[in-house]
Amino acid sequence: MKDESGILFVLSGPSGVGKGTVRQRLFEEQTELQYSISMTTRAMRPGEREGVDYFYRSNEEFEQMIANNELLEYAKYVNNYYGTPRAFVEETLAKGKDVFLEIEVQGALQVKNNFPQGVFIFLFPPSLEELKNRIVGRGTETEELVINRLKEARKEIEMMHAYDYVVVNDDVDKAVQRVKSIIQSEHLKRERVEKQYKRILEVE
Amino acid sequence: MKDESGILFVLSGPSGVGKGTVRQRLFEEQTELQYSISMTTRAMRPGEREGVDYFYRSNEEFEQMIANNELLEYAKYVNNYYGTPRAFVEETLAKGKDVFLEIEVQGALQVKNNFPQGVFIFLFPPSLEELKNRIVGRGTETEELVINRLKEARKEIEMMHAYDYVVVNDDVDKAVQRVKSIIQSEHLKRERVEKQYKRILEVE
C-alpha cells in the first residue's frame, strides 16, 4: 500500500525513562522508519554530515524559520538552537514513509500543537506496581515524603494527557514490541485505509 | 494490570473473506481471549454443553430477552434464534478479560449500536491490488461487468465505514498478526491507562 502517506510517531516521556534505549532498539529492528533529523545552529563536528546527523543552519536562518513557523518544535540549549523542521517531516511522510521522533515532553507538546495528526506515545516509568510502591513506600515513610511522591506521580500522569498511547517501560524488549504494535495498528485504522480504497474507485 | 476491564473485539467482514479461519488461528495463539458464547433456541446436540458451545434457551425465553434488550445482536436462521447475550460479555469484561466475537456484517452493526465501546475490525478480501484487478480486469471486460464490480466494491467499502480497523486477509498468518497488534495497542491507549493510574492516586 504505497500510495498511503506515512505517519509521524512521537516517542516521549519523563527524563530518565529510557526513551533513547527504546528508540535505538526499535531502529535496529524497524528499518522502514525514518528518524526525524533535527536542525541546529551548533557547529558541525568532524565526521558529521549535513542532512544525516543534523541540518546545520546559522543563527539568523534558524530564527527566520521560527518566525515563518517552519519548525514543529525548537529549544535553545547552551546558546544553540535545536529544532524539528516541518518540511523534512512532511516530505518524508508524502513519500509514504513513517517518521519517528524521540523527544522530551516539552518538545512533544510543541509538536502536538503544530502537527496534531501525529501519533503521540508516552513512555512511562517501570510499572503501575512500582508507581504504587513509590507513592506509599513501605508504610514507614513520612507523610511529607508520600505527599511529594504523590505530587510527582500526578505531574507525570498530567503530562501523559496529551498523548495517544502510554507504553510502560518495564522491559526494553516488551516496550519496543508495544511501540511496534502501535505503529502497525495505526496503519490499519479504517479512516486511513478507507481513503485509499475510495481513491481506487474514483480513479477507474 | 488486572484492575483494567477487558475490551470487546468484533471481527467481521463480507462472507467468504475467511473470518472463521482467522478467528481459529488467533485462538490457537492468544489464550487470554474469551470467545463470545452465543445463545440459541435450537436443541442441544450430543456432546454439546450449556455455557460452552451455546447458552440454550426456549423460544419464549429468547423473545423475552429480545424485548428486554438483553442481546447485543440476534438473528433467526431456519426457525431458530441465535444471539449474543449482553450479560455474558459484560461479566467477562468486568473480570478484566477481553471478549472476541466473530460475526457477519449485519450482526456486527447491531453490536455496534448496542455496544459502541467495542473495537470493530473489518476483514477485507485479499488486497488493494486485487480489488483494482477485480474492477478493471484485463481491460477486455465489458463495461457492464466493470460497473457491476465497481458496485460490489463500493458496497464492501461502505460496510467498512462503521468499523475502527480494516485488516486485509491476503495471508492468514499476517492477518492474525495484525489483529494481535490491534488487540495489544488498544490496551495501550491513553484513555484506558490513564484511568488506572488516576485510580492509584485516589486510593492512596
Side-chain angles (χ1 to χ4, degrees), chain A residues 124 128 136 154 160-161 163-166 168 177-178 181 184-185 188 190 194 197 200-201 204, chain B residues 124 128 136 157 160-161 163-166 168 177-178 181 184-185 188 190 194 197 200-201 204:
Chain A
F124 201 83
L128 209 57
V136 293
R154 234 172 233 137
M160 78 166 70
H161 193 70
Y163 292 76
D164 301 300
Y165 294 95
V166 177
V168 167
Q177 207 275 314
R178 289 170 191 138
S181 274
Q184 182 172 36
S185 70
L188 300 172
R190 192 252 312 148
E194 198 174 35
Y197 284 59
I200 284 183
L201 295 184
E204 313 309 334
Chain B
F124 201 85
L128 208 58
V136 293
I157 291 163
M160 77 165 73
H161 193 68
Y163 292 76
D164 301 299
Y165 295 96
V166 177
V168 166
Q177 207 275 315
R178 288 169 191 139
S181 274
Q184 181 172 36
S185 71
L188 301 172
R190 192 251 312 147
E194 199 175 36
Y197 283 59
I200 283 184
L201 295 184
E204 314 310 333

Side-chain angles (χ1 to χ4, degrees), chain B residues 68-106:
Chain B
N68 295 348
N69 196 24
E70 292 175 67
L71 298 163
L72 295 184
E73 58 79 32
Y74 71 93
K76 204 167 190 174
Y77 299 108
V78 207
N79 277 328
N80 280 308
Y81 283 117
Y82 293 83
T84 301
R86 177 189 283 274
F88 177 73
V89 170
E90 288 184 343
E91 283 158 20
T92 309
L93 298 181
K95 286 181 204 152
K97 226 177 148 118
D98 292 339
V99 177
F100 193 88
L101 174 60
E102 175 229 322
I103 194 167
E104 23 62 72
V105 173
Q106 281 314 311

Side-chain angles (χ1 to χ4, degrees), chain A residues 47-62:
Chain A
E48 289 185 350
R49 281 176 298 167
E50 161 73 16
V52 176
D53 299 287
Y54 285 100
F55 298 107
Y56 302 87
R57 293 294 180 272
S58 72
N59 219 58
E60 201 182 24
E61 288 171 320
F62 202 104

Side-chain angles (χ1 to χ4, degrees), chain A residues 8 10 12 62 65-67 69-77 81-86 101 103-118 120 159 162-163:
Chain A
L8 171 65
V10 179
S12 185
F62 202 104
M65 290 188 74
I66 295 174
N69 196 24
E70 292 175 68
L71 297 164
L72 295 184
E73 58 79 32
Y74 71 94
K76 204 167 190 174
Y77 299 108
Y81 283 116
Y82 294 83
T84 301
R86 178 189 283 275
L101 174 60
I103 196 168
E104 23 64 71
V105 173
Q106 281 314 312
L109 298 180
Q110 283 186 57
V111 177
K112 173 96 181 171
N113 272 333
N114 291 312
F115 205 82
Q117 63 271 48
F120 294 80
M159 288 196 292
Y163 292 76

